[in-house]
């Protein structure tokens, strides 16, 4: 271990966080875009309005860019359990591998095969049948989310297992319990709904930039897209807030420390509990001083009623020590990183509310009767900038989930420090961290650059272009 | 047969399918520099695997996932032990994977060339390093009682592993050229055949060197003489079938021949490993299938899942190939730079 704080565990954790966050930029966006592009194509098949076909094609290009990056970074995720966390893989193999393998067999194959078909069969299938191909991809991405979240939910709240006394490893006893884990069925809707919201925000935001250019031939296209994106953002921001609330109820039950940390509560609150908006946290001395408080709101958030106190981290810490000292020793630190969780929660919920507000105003101002949205340039710029906020919100949500598990990698059973590969060295980990960092910077930069360029060209760019030149990736390359 | 053994075979099968499919995928990527003369041709080659590469790669993901789900101790030892090699494999697969999409969006000649080069480099890196790793692990590497592998540089990079890596890469290239003969028309197709006429003799030489090195550097022929010999002969016979197909201009034969040779390399390695999954220089530390495997309950579930899903996957996977059978002509479209 080096003195500058580069321990193997911290490097491995940093790498996991970096790869996961980067991967998770693209995954929710791809899931959402798949669903929305499929919806657009279905609308075309039903209504026969060409604008929906143009939409499916144009937004499909943005979708494919994110899908490509999402796919390739996904392989890192699968490999790095073995590469960086081999002790974890040994301990958890009996439970964790199954969802991962099923994900590949059930979901990845559907995604990867049908996306290939969808890309190359635009003029070979009837619109309805062609839309089915992207629906298959969308279903594949969602199935994939179920299985990876099933694995993650087990790490948050282990169910259906026992510890094998001879090997000391986890042994699966009830597969049904793993896939009916209450955590799973609360986190899954939250993730999917937020994913669709994310895609809605990007479509609305990019359409706003498109409209601001004031090109006559593109006006209708971007207007329809903007309305579509705003409606999706509004509906799914509300739904994902609801799903998040349900998930919170479960977290209070299963992981009280995580919840107390997201609220920055050290001492048990009074009854009814007030909700802290801003707080100064002193993580070293386990104290916090609220700076803005709203009475009773935390009781409502936590219990859906006007009374009830919430347990603070100090008492939960004591309980955890009483419960686990025999197994993990007296020196274990059970305080999850309170500042990260406190602020991540506020960023996540704040962003959701912000999206609701923007989308609500946008829907109002763009309604047919009193369509004034295009004159509000300031508002269009805000919609355009709001492309970025759901990505930050998604990452914040992921931070809460993963940092809130501390100090365990499998809640109550196996610590992060025990999970790391014994073969790792600071040198190799530094090397891989740098490689990944450079790679992600490159991929992220290129992806954003090409998305921007696609928007700049507008929806009719390639169609005019194809009069002289056949797109080498279009069906002509195959059918002729 | 125990379920653990069944899964060992299944993982071998998944890797073989992966190498059969992604083998030509990689080979087509490599041939963008060896065969194509201009950008149009490169793009036509890339297009020939455009709808398929993602599905092909999924077999690797599945093999990895299946290893984690059935033999987690193998997964943990192998993946953590070959950290740097796998990191580079990932870099290759990533650069290659994004190039399919990025090359469409690049507008300048330089931009398009950059992604064509990453496509080439990635297609070359992945099979070479994967074969290097596999041929390194079967020679036996330093491991401790916990099952942690600590291969040193010369455990990873040595005569057999490098020859194996080169042979695997060459076989992938040959396989790719055979695929191109099935999917592309015009001069590219003829050039692929001519190049293969040159490459096959080199390949046979490589296979002989490979077989000799396997004989001396591994315990395959001392532990499992009959089967190892049989599979080695099959590798050469399938290559001969491929060569016959090239000479007689029967693309189907040559494609099947080169693909099966590649698959048989995996079969040889897995047959030699059996009943071990990792070979340690100290035999006491080698990991056996029965020790590496998950519980009977988990394996039963996985077996049921695989028995249901693999046939379904196979059906739509094959269907997706039947959709794109029309040959591509690189001259029938012009590409905007």
């Amino acid at each position: 271990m080096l003195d500058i704080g580069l321990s193997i565990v911290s490097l491995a954790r940093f790498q996991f966080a970096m790869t996961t966050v980067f991967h998770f930029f693209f995954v929710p966006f791809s899931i959402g875009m798949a669903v929305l592009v499929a919806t657009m194509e279905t609308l075309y098949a039903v209504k026969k309005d060409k604008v929906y076909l143009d939409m499916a094609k144009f937004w499909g290009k943005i979708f494919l860019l994110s899908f490509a990056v999402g796919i390739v970074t996904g392989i890192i995720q699968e490999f790095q359990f073995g590469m960086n966390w081999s002790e974890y893989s040994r301990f958890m193999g009996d439970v964790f591998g199954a969802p991962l393998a099923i994900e590949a067999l059930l979901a990845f194959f559907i995604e990867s095969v049908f996306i290939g078909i969808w890309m190359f069969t635009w003029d070979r299938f009837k619109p309805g049948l062609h839309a089915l191909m992207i629906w298959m991809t969308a279903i594949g991405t969602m199935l994939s989310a179920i299985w990876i979240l099933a694995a993650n939910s087990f790490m948050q709240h282990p169910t259906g297992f026992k510890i094998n006394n001879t090997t000391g490893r986890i042994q699966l006893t009830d597969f049904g319990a793993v896939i009916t884990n209450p955590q799973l069925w609360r986190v899954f809707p939250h993730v999917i709904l937020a994913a669709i919201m994310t895609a809605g925000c990007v479509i609305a935001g990019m359409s706003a930039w498109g409209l601001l250019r004031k090109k006559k031939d593109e006006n209708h296209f971007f207007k329809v897209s903007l309305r579509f994106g705003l409606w999706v953002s509004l509906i799914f921001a509300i739904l994902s807030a609801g799903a998040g609330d349900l998930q919170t109820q479960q977290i209070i039950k299963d992981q009280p420390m995580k919840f107390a940390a997201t609220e920055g509560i050290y001492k048990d609150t009074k009854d009814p509990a007030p909700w802290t908006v801003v707080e100064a946290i002193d993580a070293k001395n386990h104290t916090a001083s609220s700076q803005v408080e709203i009475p009773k709101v935390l009781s409502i958030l936590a219990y859906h009623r006007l009374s009830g106190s919430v347990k603070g981290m100090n008492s939960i810490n004591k309980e955890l020590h009483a419960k686990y000292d025999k197994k993990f020793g007296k020196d274990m630190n059970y305080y999850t990183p309170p500042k990260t969780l406190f602020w991540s929660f506020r960023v996540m919920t704040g962003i959701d509310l912000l999206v609701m507000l923007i989308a609500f105003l946008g829907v109002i101002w763009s309604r047919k009767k009193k369509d004034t949205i295009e004159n509000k340039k300031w508002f269009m710029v805000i919609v355009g900038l709001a492309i970025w906020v759901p990505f930050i919100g998604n990452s914040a949500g992921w931070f809460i989930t993963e940092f809130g598990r501390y100090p365990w990698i499998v809640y109550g059973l196996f610590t992060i420090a025990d999970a790391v590969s014994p073969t790792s060295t600071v040198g190799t980990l530094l090397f891989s961290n740098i490689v990944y960092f450079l790679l992600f910077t490159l991929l992220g930069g290129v992806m954003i650059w090409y998305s921007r360029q696609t928007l700049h060209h507008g929806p009719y760019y390639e169609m005019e272009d194809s009069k002289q030149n056949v797109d080498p990736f279009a069906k002509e390359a195959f059918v002729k | 047969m125990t379920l653990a053994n069944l899964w060992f075979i299944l993982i071998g099968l998944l890797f073989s399918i992966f190498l059969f499919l992604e083998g030509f995928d990689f080979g087509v990527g490599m041939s963008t520099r060896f065969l194509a003369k201009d950008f149009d041709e490169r793009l036509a080659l890339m297009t020939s695997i455009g709808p398929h590469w993602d599905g092909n790669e999924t077999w690797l993901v599945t093999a990895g996932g299946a290893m984690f789900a059935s033999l987690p101790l193998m997964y943990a030892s192998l993946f953590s032990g070959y950290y740097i090699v796998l990191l580079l494999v990932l870099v290759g697969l990533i650069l290659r994977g994004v190039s399919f999409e990025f090359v469409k969006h690049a507008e300048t000649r330089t931009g398009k060339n950059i992604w064509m080069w990453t496509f080439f480099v990635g297609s070359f890196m992945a099979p070479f390093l994967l074969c290097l790793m596999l041929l390194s692990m079967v020679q036996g590497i330093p491991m401790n009682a916990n099952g942690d592998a600590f291969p040193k540089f010369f455990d990873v990079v040595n005569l057999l592993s490098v020859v194996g890596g080169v042979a695997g890469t060459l076989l992938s290239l040959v396989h790719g050229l055979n695929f191109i003969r099935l999917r592309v028309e015009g001069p590219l197709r003829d050039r692929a055949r001519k190049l293969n006429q040159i490459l096959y003799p080199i390949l046979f030489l490589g296979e002989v060197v490979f077989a000799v090195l396997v004989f001396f550097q591994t315990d395959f022929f001392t532990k499992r003489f009959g089967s190892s010999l049989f599979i080695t002969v099959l590798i050469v016979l399938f290559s001969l079938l491929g060569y016959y197909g090239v000479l007689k201009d029967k693309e189907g034969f040559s494609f099947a021949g080169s693909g099966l040779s590649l698959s048989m390399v995996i079969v040889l390695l897995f047959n030699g490993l059996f009943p071990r999954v990792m070979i340690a220089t100290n035999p006491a530390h080698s990991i056996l299938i029965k020790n590496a495997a998950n519980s009977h309950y988990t394996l039963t579930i996985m077996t049921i899942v695989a028995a249901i899903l693999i046939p379904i996957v196979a059906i739509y996977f094959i269907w997706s190939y039947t959709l794109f059978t029309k040959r591509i002509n690189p001259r029938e479209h012009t590409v905007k730079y």
Side-chain angles (χ1 to χ4, degrees):
Chain A
M1 224 185 266
L2 291 177
D3 278 327
I4 39 173
L6 291 176
S7 71
I8 287 169
V9 174
S10 60
L11 277 170
R13 287 187 78 192
F14 182 78
Q15 182 167 313
F16 190 81
M18 175 171 63
T19 48
T20 310
V21 165
F22 188 76
H23 183 57
F24 204 65
F25 272 150
F26 298 97
V27 169
F29 180 52
S30 306
I31 295 176
M33 282 302 267
V35 172
L36 295 187
V37 170
T39 310
M40 291 166 187
E41 222 188 322
T42 310
L43 282 172
Y44 170 67
V46 174
K47 292 189 171 182
K48 302 275 180 259
D49 183 344
K50 197 179 155 291
V51 74
Y52 291 115
L53 177 67
D54 296 344
M55 275 166 72
K57 283 196 170 171
F58 179 77
W59 299 111
K61 279 186 214 162
I62 307 287
F63 161 65
L64 285 174
L65 273 169
S66 75
F67 193 79
V69 183
I71 283 267
V72 294
T73 50
I75 315 174
I76 300 178
Q77 300 300 324
E78 195 205 28
F79 276 31
Q80 77 169 334
F81 294 114
M83 289 167 72
N84 285 353
W85 307 97
S86 64
E87 285 297 343
Y88 166 81
S89 304
R90 289 185 182 117
F91 178 73
M92 271 284 276
D94 208 50
V95 171
F96 195 83
L100 216 62
I102 298 174
E103 185 191 22
L105 273 173
L106 182 67
F108 285 162
F109 270 119
I110 297 182
E111 273 175 56
S112 59
V113 169
F114 284 92
I115 191 91
I117 298 173
W118 182 74
M119 281 170 76
F120 291 90
T121 53
W122 276 99
D123 297 323
R124 284 178 66 179
F125 292 150
K126 281 182 185 155
L129 191 61
H130 192 254
L132 182 65
M133 300 301 140
I134 183 110
W135 275 117
M136 291 302 289
T137 308
I139 290 166
T141 60
M142 285 190 268
L143 285 174
S144 155
I146 289 182
W147 289 101
I148 202 66
L149 290 171
N152 187 270
S153 296
F154 185 91
M155 293 160 75
Q156 307 289 343
H157 178 62
T159 49
F161 73 99
K162 65 171 187 188
I163 300 286
N164 184 319
N165 287 329
T166 42
T167 60
R169 298 188 185 114
I170 279 189
Q171 199 174 322
L172 185 64
T173 54
D174 183 359
F175 186 63
V178 171
I179 46 176
T180 54
N181 190 334
Q183 283 266 348
L184 168 61
W185 296 103
R186 300 210 174 31
V187 67
F188 174 68
H190 191 47
V191 165
I192 294 295
L193 297 168
I196 299 174
M197 179 196 88
T198 304
C201 285
V202 174
I203 292 177
M206 288 181 73
S207 304
W209 291 124
L211 279 172
L212 281 171
R213 293 207 314 242
K214 294 196 183 297
K215 278 194 184 171
K216 258 195 178 159
D217 61 326
E218 293 174 1
N219 192 292
H220 179 61
F221 174 88
F222 280 125
K223 198 60 186 290
V224 178
S225 296
L226 178 73
R227 288 275 294 171
F228 184 87
L230 288 170
W231 267 114
V232 169
S233 306
L234 179 62
I235 295 168
F236 286 88
I238 295 169
L239 290 176
S240 73
D245 176 57
L246 288 179
Q247 199 191 344
T248 306
Q249 308 302 311
Q250 193 65 34
I251 288 170
I252 295 171
K253 239 170 88 188
D254 299 339
Q255 298 171 316
M257 185 62 100
K258 183 189 271 183
F259 180 70
T262 56
E263 295 303 339
I265 306 164
Y266 279 101
K267 291 179 203 155
D268 299 358
T269 67
K270 47 192 178 195
D271 185 359
W275 188 66
T276 307
V277 187
V278 182
E279 187 177 64
I281 297 173
D282 181 355
K284 242 185 201 160
N285 297 313
H286 305 313
T287 56
S289 56
S290 305
Q291 279 155 352
V292 184
E293 255 184 23
I294 314 173
K296 292 189 185 178
V297 171
L298 186 57
S299 292
I300 302 174
L301 281 177
Y303 308 115
H304 295 172
R305 54 184 156 85
L306 285 166
S307 62
S309 88
V310 174
K311 227 183 260 175
M313 284 184 269
N314 291 339
S315 10
I316 299 167
N317 183 46
K318 269 184 207 150
E319 285 172 18
L320 290 172
H321 272 290
K323 199 172 171 189
Y324 292 114
D325 271 0
K326 254 192 192 168
K327 202 167 157 196
F328 295 104
K330 280 188 177 143
D331 297 334
M332 184 62 86
N333 170 26
Y334 291 110
Y335 287 95
T336 54
K339 281 183 198 167
T340 313
L341 293 195
F342 182 83
W343 290 110
S344 295
F345 185 73
R346 269 139 199 83
V347 166
M348 179 183 73
T349 45
I351 279 173
D352 197 63
L353 289 172
L354 184 70
V355 169
M356 273 185 222
L357 177 71
I358 294 174
F360 178 72
L361 290 175
V363 166
I364 297 271
W365 286 335
S366 65
R367 68 191 192 278
K368 266 192 190 125
K369 267 188 190 167
K370 235 188 170 175
D371 187 357
T372 54
I373 195 166
E374 280 169 81
N375 305 329
K376 296 185 172 56
K377 205 181 158 195
W378 61 273
F379 182 73
M380 299 287 274
V381 171
I382 290 177
V383 176
L385 292 175
I387 289 174
W388 300 101
V389 299
F391 291 94
I392 301 168
N394 292 338
S395 301
W398 197 244
F399 277 162
I400 300 170
T401 307
E402 296 298 273
F403 281 107
R405 218 176 342 108
Y406 188 85
W408 289 298
I409 199 161
V410 188
Y411 203 82
L413 295 174
F414 205 65
T415 66
I416 296 167
D418 288 334
V420 82
S421 300
T423 51
S424 294
T425 62
V426 170
T428 49
L429 276 168
L430 257 181
F431 178 66
S432 57
N433 267 295
I434 293 168
V435 168
Y436 283 137
F437 182 79
L438 292 176
L439 205 57
F440 293 163
T441 314
L442 175 81
L443 297 187
V446 171
M447 140 93 198
I448 293 166
W449 176 261
Y450 285 152
S451 301
R452 211 181 133 269
Q453 180 187 278
T454 306
L455 176 65
H456 179 77
H457 287 321
Y460 303 111
Y461 173 71
E462 209 136 44
M463 290 174 206
E464 283 168 23
D465 187 54
S466 64
K467 278 172 198 159
Q468 302 103 31
N469 301 307
V470 173
D471 178 1
F473 281 87
K475 55 101 201 180
E476 284 85 352
F478 289 95
V479 176
K480 252 179 198 166
Chain B
M1 156 135 29
T2 64
L3 278 180
N5 287 350
L6 176 72
W7 273 90
F8 179 76
I9 295 169
L10 204 55
I11 292 167
L13 181 71
L14 289 169
F15 269 111
S16 318
I17 297 175
F18 160 72
L19 216 57
F20 188 108
L21 296 166
E22 193 92 325
F24 70 71
D25 216 319
F26 290 143
V28 171
M30 287 181 241
S31 68
T32 53
R33 292 290 148 187
F34 294 128
L35 193 70
K37 286 191 171 156
D38 56 27
F39 190 80
D40 278 8
E41 292 191 347
R42 261 171 228 132
L43 205 52
L45 292 178
M46 196 187 221
T47 309
S48 73
I49 51 171
H52 307 302
W53 74 270
D54 196 0
N56 294 345
E57 200 165 287
T58 305
W59 290 95
L60 177 67
V61 179
T62 308
M67 197 194 282
F68 198 172
S70 59
L71 304 168
L73 268 54
M74 179 188 190
Y75 171 79
S77 296
L78 182 68
F79 279 51
S80 63
Y82 285 90
Y83 191 90
I84 296 288
V85 179
L86 281 171
L87 176 72
L88 296 175
V89 169
L90 287 173
V91 171
L93 289 177
I94 288 170
L95 288 176
R96 172 175 202 277
V98 293
S99 63
F100 286 93
E101 193 57 34
F102 285 176
V103 84
K104 283 194 278 179
H105 288 267
E107 296 199 319
T108 59
R109 185 184 283 266
T110 324
K112 286 189 182 296
N113 279 335
I114 288 174
W115 298 120
M116 272 301 175
W117 271 105
T118 58
F119 179 50
F120 169 75
V121 173
S123 302
F124 181 78
M125 274 170 81
F128 176 75
L129 292 168
L130 279 172
C131 289
L132 180 90
M133 179 184 87
L134 291 171
L135 268 309
S136 155
M137 72 171 277
V138 296
Q139 297 175 62
I141 45 173
M143 285 172 68
N144 64 18
N146 185 40
D148 300 313
F150 298 90
K152 296 189 187 59
F153 182 78
F154 288 108
D155 292 319
V156 180
V157 181
N158 53 46
L159 193 58
L160 173 57
S161 69
V162 171
V163 167
V166 171
T169 312
L170 185 60
L171 198 46
S172 295
L173 174 60
V174 167
H175 191 34
L177 292 168
N178 285 333
F179 178 76
I180 290 166
R181 292 173 60 228
L182 280 169
R183 288 300 324 280
V184 178
E185 62 181 25
L188 265 179
R189 194 176 166 278
D190 303 326
R191 257 183 273 147
R193 187 172 163 220
K194 279 195 190 113
L195 185 56
N196 256 353
Q197 285 176 345
I198 302 167
L199 288 178
Y200 262 107
I202 304 172
L203 181 68
F204 289 126
L205 187 71
E207 281 176 1
V208 171
V209 176
F210 175 76
V212 171
L213 285 172
V214 168
F215 185 85
F216 286 109
Q217 298 294 109
T218 70
D219 56 15
F220 286 9
F221 285 90
T222 46
K223 291 223 158 156
R224 305 174 66 80
F225 181 79
S227 52
S228 296
L229 184 68
F230 177 66
I231 299 163
T232 310
V233 170
L234 276 185
I235 294 176
V236 179
L237 278 181
F238 282 129
S239 294
L240 280 169
L241 176 72
Y243 191 37
Y244 167 81
V246 168
L247 293 177
K248 298 277 167 193
D249 205 8
K250 293 184 191 299
E251 306 107 335
F253 277 121
S254 39
F255 179 67
S258 51
L260 288 171
S261 302
L262 266 170
S263 302
M264 280 302 141
V265 174
I266 296 288
V267 174
L268 177 73
L269 299 182
F270 270 68
N271 176 64
L273 273 175
F274 188 84
R276 304 160 293 185
V277 289
M278 292 290 284
I279 304 174
T281 32
N282 173 358
H285 292 164
S286 291
I287 306 176
L288 303 178
I289 295 170
K290 57 179 183 191
N291 302 334
N294 271 331
S295 67
H296 186 74
Y297 178 70
T298 300
L299 291 178
T300 310
I301 291 170
M302 288 307 303
T303 309
I304 296 169
V305 169
I308 297 170
L309 288 179
I310 291 180
I312 298 175
V313 170
I315 290 169
Y316 65 74
F317 200 88
I318 293 168
W319 174 68
S320 81
Y321 271 83
T322 63
L323 284 174
F324 307 102
T325 47
K326 195 87 188 161
R327 284 178 198 273
I328 300 164
N329 186 332
R331 301 298 164 211
E332 279 186 21
H333 60 256
T334 52
V335 181
K336 203 176 174 236
Y337 289 95

